[in-house]
Amino acid sequence: MAGTDRRKACAADHVDAGAPAVILVRTQLGENIGAAARAMLNCGLSDLRLVQPRDGWPNVKALGAASGADAVLNGVRLCATVEEAVADLNLVHATTARPRELLKPELAPRVAVTALRDAGRRGARLGLLFGPEKAGLKNEELVLADAIVRIPLNPAFASLNLAQAVLIMAYEWRLVSTPPDEEEEQPPPAGSARPATKDEILHFFRHLEGALDDRDFFPTPEMRPKMVQNMRTMFERISMTRQDVQTLRGVVRALTGERPQRGRPPGPAD
């Protein structure tokens, strides 16, 4: 038992603090959560966030399938929505196997994690988003991602177990983030623009959409969800900074006649 505890402690000491958070949405089986946690710790990832797991949390079946990945399971963050899970992140990539109508970049795993790594070196907080085992992510959840990741598999049999998908992305991250003889990473330059968090971006979306509602912009209630989805997708492609969000919210205030609130960052109170 003491040897097992030492191995667990050693594993916890070798996690990558800058690695992406792994967000599992509406996971159906506790075993898949545990196996995903094991895959994460294999590759040095430790930030696991669960959105509405079907069987609740904690889950004893997850503990057994994790095979000692306690460093991940003990730090699980339980979230009510995908929006909550990504609120503090700046760059999120989502995996999906189904064709989508969204106009988002579609990246191979190596390209996706390389983009995440480069953003992380500039100070961004990162995330990888995975949907439930059967249906995958909804379009309104994919809108929150900056890009879609497609794993190139046999087109006649492309179905992956959730933990397998997590392992592929985590392993790709490990390959690009810890190459041999890598030079010491340099901090982001002083004064460089901070990427907007998803929370800041979502508050801008709500601000804009509320202003459009007040002015009867949407032709019918039935058309509103699709139009909102398209607008959010368009803005997400910009990779906005915090200053971009503040500027856009100032534009909305100016156009609607709202009184400026100087010196305050965008947030829930606006």
Side-chain angles (χ1 to χ4, degrees):
M1 182 63 70
T4 300
D5 291 340
R6 281 196 297 272
R7 285 193 296 273
K8 291 179 180 178
C10 182
D13 290 339
H14 288 81
V15 297
D16 181 353
V22 171
I23 304 148
L24 306 183
V25 181
R26 296 185 302 280
T27 311
Q28 296 171 300
L29 299 175
E31 294 90 338
N32 283 341
I33 296 174
R38 179 180 184 179
M40 288 172 61
L41 196 57
N42 284 154
C43 299
L45 283 68
S46 62
D47 184 354
L48 177 59
R49 306 176 185 192
L50 304 179
V51 178
Q52 300 177 22
R54 186 190 66 181
D55 296 334
W57 190 260
N59 186 312
V60 66
K61 293 182 178 179
L63 185 64
S67 298
D70 295 17
V72 177
L73 293 185
N74 290 341
V76 161
R77 177 174 156 188
L78 190 62
C79 302
T81 64
V82 176
E83 291 184 358
E84 178 187 343
V86 303
D88 63 325
L89 306 178
N90 305 113
L91 186 66
V92 176
H93 289 172
T95 63
T96 181
R98 294 191 290 120
R100 306 289 182 148
E101 299 177 352
L102 301 178
L103 296 177
K104 286 186 176 291
E106 293 190 5
L107 309 176
R110 184 71 53 85
V111 176
V113 296
T114 299
L116 289 173
R117 179 202 63 188
D118 293 344
R121 289 175 173 174
R122 296 190 295 269
R125 299 190 67 178
L126 315 171
L128 289 167
L129 187 61
F130 299 84
E133 293 91 332
K134 287 188 178 180
L137 293 162
K138 300 176 182 177
N139 278 352
E140 56 265 34
E141 295 164 339
L142 280 171
V143 165
L144 298 171
D146 299 278
I148 291 173
V149 183
R150 293 198 187 279
I151 300 172
L153 299 169
N154 177 2
F157 193 71
S159 176
L160 278 178
N161 174 271
L162 175 61
Q164 291 174 321
V166 171
L167 179 58
I168 288 173
M169 296 306 299
Y171 180 66
E172 291 287 354
W173 168 265
R174 186 165 182 83
L175 287 181
V176 303
S177 61
T178 56
D181 303 321
E182 182 178 47
E183 295 181 5
E184 184 177 354
E185 294 182 12
Q186 298 298 316
S192 59
R194 175 175 75 72
T197 65
K198 293 297 180 182
D199 191 48
E200 290 165 347
I201 293 171
L202 284 167
H203 281 102
F204 160 63
F205 287 157
R206 292 170 186 145
H207 186 186
L208 173 63
E209 292 153 14
L212 294 174
D213 282 330
D214 291 341
R215 282 148 186 81
D216 298 322
F217 172 79
F218 301 105
T220 67
E222 292 75 22
M223 294 178 67
R224 186 185 189 278
K226 183 64 174 179
M227 294 177 71
V228 164
Q229 178 180 292
N230 290 341
M231 282 193 300
R232 290 189 176 198
T233 299
M234 175 181 67
F235 279 110
E236 286 283 7
R237 290 201 299 270
I238 301 174
S239 299
M240 292 184 286
T241 66
R242 184 175 186 269
Q243 183 59 55
D244 292 335
V245 171
Q246 289 179 311
T247 299
L248 287 168
R249 294 196 69 173
V251 169
V252 176
R253 292 191 186 97
L255 293 174
T256 57
E258 295 178 51
R259 187 174 179 178
Q261 300 182 20
R262 300 185 184 279
R264 292 182 54 190
D270 286 347

